[in-house]
Amino acid sequence: ALAGVAQTWAKSDLKGAIAWAKSLPPENDRDEIIRTALIGKASVEPGPALDLVGMVPPGGRDNYFATTTGARVLSAAARTDYDATVAWLAAHPGRLGREDLMGLAQTFTERLNADPISFLATHSADGSLSVLLPAMDSALLNSASGQRQPVWEWLKTQPESDRVNGLRREVLQSGSWQDPELAMRMVKDIPKTAQGDEQVRNLARNLLNNGSRVNNLDKYLEQAPE
């Protein structure tokens, strides 16, 4: 009930809601009430809520998806104003960790599935693509797994850069776990550079899961390009 009050109050007066939550008796979970206030604010205005994510511990439940403070606030923020949320992330690199960025997963996946090429082009142009790589990894492993091939085709048209190499790594990694045959067909498109060679080595590690799937080696060698 207290969290519900804080969530509603914060939409119009975040500072007041937080001050009230801090004044509550210690037997109440004040951190959780403040988290809920931040989620309430994110549901109407992402920036101010995201600015204050670090004021409470990250929280999160072991083996549960997107339950950290950052993930919960980010999820509400992305549903409210995706573009403003991504702009905040690009302007504050490193403020939220990989687990926090899983809060983008649902909204990110919906947009990627709707038009992958336009989606990638937009985030490449505004410089946010590298910030969003953890969310891309989650999307490609889950409800956007069917977009690996379009994403890969887009990557083939891009000049070499750190963000292109990072995205290429995410596509190969998710493919090696879920669609090894596709991942190995992609190998022929990897540049013959030091970075490209390292990506091939990483693909091999992932295909064999560091040795736990070594029984598949003969099959992979039969399928692999030269």
Side-chain angles (χ1 to χ4, degrees), residues 39-63:
I39 292 168
K41 185 61 175 179
S43 71
V44 295
E45 191 179 1
L50 291 167
D51 287 340
L52 296 177
V53 161
M55 72 179 302
V56 290
R61 300 172 64 190
D62 288 341
N63 300 316

Side-chain angles (χ1 to χ4, degrees), residues 1-201:
L2 294 173
V5 171
Q7 185 171 6
T8 301
W9 187 351
K11 291 179 181 180
S12 58
D13 181 9
L14 177 59
K15 290 183 179 179
I18 289 173
W20 170 75
K22 288 180 175 180
S23 72
L24 292 170
E27 60 266 23
N28 296 291
D29 188 345
R30 290 177 289 198
D31 287 340
E32 180 61 19
I33 294 170
I34 292 172
R35 287 188 191 101
T36 310
L38 294 173
I39 292 168
K41 185 61 175 179
S43 71
V44 295
E45 191 179 1
L50 291 167
D51 287 340
L52 296 177
V53 161
M55 72 179 302
V56 290
R61 300 172 64 190
D62 288 341
N63 300 316
Y64 283 81
F65 183 76
T67 57
T68 64
T69 303
R72 293 165 64 191
V73 175
L74 197 56
S75 177
R79 290 194 303 270
T80 301
D81 189 335
Y82 176 82
D83 293 335
T85 300
V86 171
W88 186 93
L89 289 170
H92 300 84
R95 283 279 294 275
L96 296 180
R98 187 177 184 89
E99 289 301 312
D100 299 325
L101 288 167
M102 293 302 104
L104 280 177
Q106 181 176 349
T107 306
F108 184 98
T109 300
E110 290 170 356
R111 288 172 175 254
L112 178 62
N113 280 333
D115 188 345
I117 303 306
S118 175
F119 180 85
L120 291 166
T122 297
H123 287 302
S124 178
D126 66 17
S128 62
L129 190 58
S130 57
V131 178
L132 299 174
L133 286 178
M136 177 67 77
D137 180 38
S138 174
L140 293 176
L141 279 169
N142 294 288
S143 298
S145 60
Q147 303 302 334
R148 286 192 196 103
Q149 187 69 57
V151 172
W152 190 258
E153 293 302 317
W154 179 84
L155 283 169
K156 289 161 61 175
T157 69
Q158 303 303 302
E160 287 297 299
S161 67
D162 288 343
R163 68 174 181 269
V164 165
N165 284 322
L167 181 51
R168 187 185 290 127
R169 182 173 58 250
E170 300 293 353
V171 175
L172 288 170
Q173 180 168 287
S174 65
S176 67
W177 290 335
Q178 294 183 339
D179 193 347
E181 187 174 347
L182 174 62
M184 286 189 290
R185 289 201 304 271
M186 292 173 171
V187 168
K188 68 180 186 300
D189 299 320
I190 298 176
K192 292 179 173 60
T193 62
Q195 283 185 321
D197 290 345
E198 181 58 28
Q199 287 180 345
V200 174
R201 285 191 288 272

